[in-house]
Amino acid sequence: MSDTPDFARLEAFALELAAAAGAAALPLFRTGLDTDNKLAHLSRFDPVTEADKGAERAIRALINRHFPDHGIIGEEYGEENTDAEFVWVLDPVDGTRAFISGLPLWTTLIGLRHRGRPVLGVIAQPYLQEVFLGSPLGSRLITPRGDTPLKVRGCAGLHDAVIGTTDPNLFPGIEGEAYGSLLKAVKLARYGCDAYAFAMVALGTMDIALETGLKPWDIEAIIPVIENAGGVVTDWRGEPVPDTAGQVIAGCSRELVEAALEHLKGAANT
């Protein structure tokens, strides 16, 4: 087992994975491709396209070729070798609804666990040619113009905060009441961004991003990006995000997250 991972090598490989996923998904963007509904049997809409499937196949092929001893957890094709020291956690197209709507806010999420802990993450938006990368080597935004260090911004308090979530209608019952309370306390809320809102927290243009019902592949890539940019990621109880994910909040400081949690803790899962 490795004592100290070679993060420079792993970062380079993660960027190779992101490029392969983009090469598979981007040609299908805004093409009117067919959409399947994974939850049609429940009368709910959870879309998946060949972009999701093709991007994950491309990522998995590279991992299996170059790091056959690594494990994989992917949204589209499940788990393999999850007891490995290194496990890649994949959401090939996070924001499929945005993808099929022609909105360039979908992302590819590529996370890496080392001994069970998220240590490296990529949030990639190939249409905008943006890659947000985070690891113990730091967080940075990579574009054709070069690399820019990522750093969360300071925020005086909730009254000055810009927050983001995918859709307030996804907060049912008591969660919706808690979100409504938080909404009254902040300056501005934006919707429809999926994981891109979390990238904006790392970039320093937004202060809080929050979601509920997340799966590991929805958040594990995001955690290293935000934390290594100086931010904080917890569940709605203020504790580390569990392996099962669920309710998640990210913010630019511990103080701001704690202030937001005063509105959310009553709806936190136990």
Side-chain angles (χ1 to χ4, degrees):
M1 296 176 68
S2 305
D3 292 325
T4 303
D6 184 348
F7 283 108
R9 181 188 182 202
L10 291 168
E11 280 191 352
F13 184 63
L15 293 175
E16 183 180 349
L17 296 179
L26 191 56
L28 301 177
F29 185 49
R30 296 180 176 173
T31 62
L33 76 168
D34 292 336
T35 302
D36 294 325
N37 182 7
K38 293 190 284 187
L39 295 181
H41 62 292
L42 298 176
S43 299
R44 293 163 54 192
F45 184 56
D46 186 11
V48 63
T49 73
E50 180 53 33
D52 303 78
K53 297 174 183 178
E56 186 167 322
R57 288 195 301 268
I59 296 171
R60 283 176 175 267
L62 285 171
I63 294 171
N64 288 330
R65 183 184 313 155
H66 296 284
F67 292 100
D69 57 327
H70 286 195
I72 303 174
I73 299 172
E75 180 176 14
E76 305 306 332
Y77 293 106
E79 301 181 354
E80 57 183 89
N81 195 25
T82 57
D83 292 331
E85 180 181 2
F86 293 94
V87 178
W88 296 90
V89 185
L90 313 173
D91 191 344
V93 177
D94 180 89
T96 302
R97 291 170 179 83
F99 188 98
I100 65 177
S101 301
L103 300 173
L105 296 177
W106 55 277
T107 57
T108 293
L109 301 180
I110 300 169
L112 179 63
R113 294 179 185 175
H114 180 237
R115 300 176 184 171
R117 184 172 66 89
V119 293
L120 185 153
V122 164
I123 308 169
Q125 212 310 307
Y127 187 81
L128 300 178
Q129 297 182 287
E130 295 178 338
V131 179
F132 301 82
L133 172 67
S135 81
L137 302 181
S139 288
R140 65 188 190 272
L141 169 61
I142 303 167
T143 73
R145 297 180 297 278
D147 294 8
T148 304
L150 291 171
K151 182 175 176 56
V152 298
R153 68 180 177 186
C155 182
L158 288 179
H159 68 280
D160 198 39
V162 177
I163 70 172
T165 191
T166 299
D167 184 342
N169 292 319
L170 296 178
F171 296 120
I174 191 172
E175 287 184 339
E177 295 173 10
Y179 177 75
S181 175
L182 176 61
L183 185 62
K184 293 176 183 178
V186 303
K187 181 171 70 175
L188 175 66
R190 304 307 301 158
Y191 301 122
C193 301
D194 296 286
Y196 199 76
F198 290 89
M200 294 301 97
V201 173
L203 184 63
T205 62
M206 298 180 73
D207 304 295
I208 290 173
L210 70 158
E211 300 285 356
T212 189
L214 297 188
K215 303 297 184 183
W217 49 77
D218 295 313
I219 191 61
E220 292 204 14
I222 291 167
I223 293 172
V225 176
I226 289 181
E227 290 186 341
N228 288 289
V232 175
V233 186
T234 75
D235 67 11
W236 284 18
R237 292 171 294 174
E239 299 176 1
V241 177
D243 290 344
T244 52
Q247 299 168 320
V248 175
I249 182 170
C252 57
S253 70
R254 174 68 61 178
E255 293 76 17
L256 192 67
V257 167
E258 289 179 352
L261 289 175
E262 290 300 313
H263 298 267
L264 301 174
K265 280 182 176 178
N269 293 333
T270 57

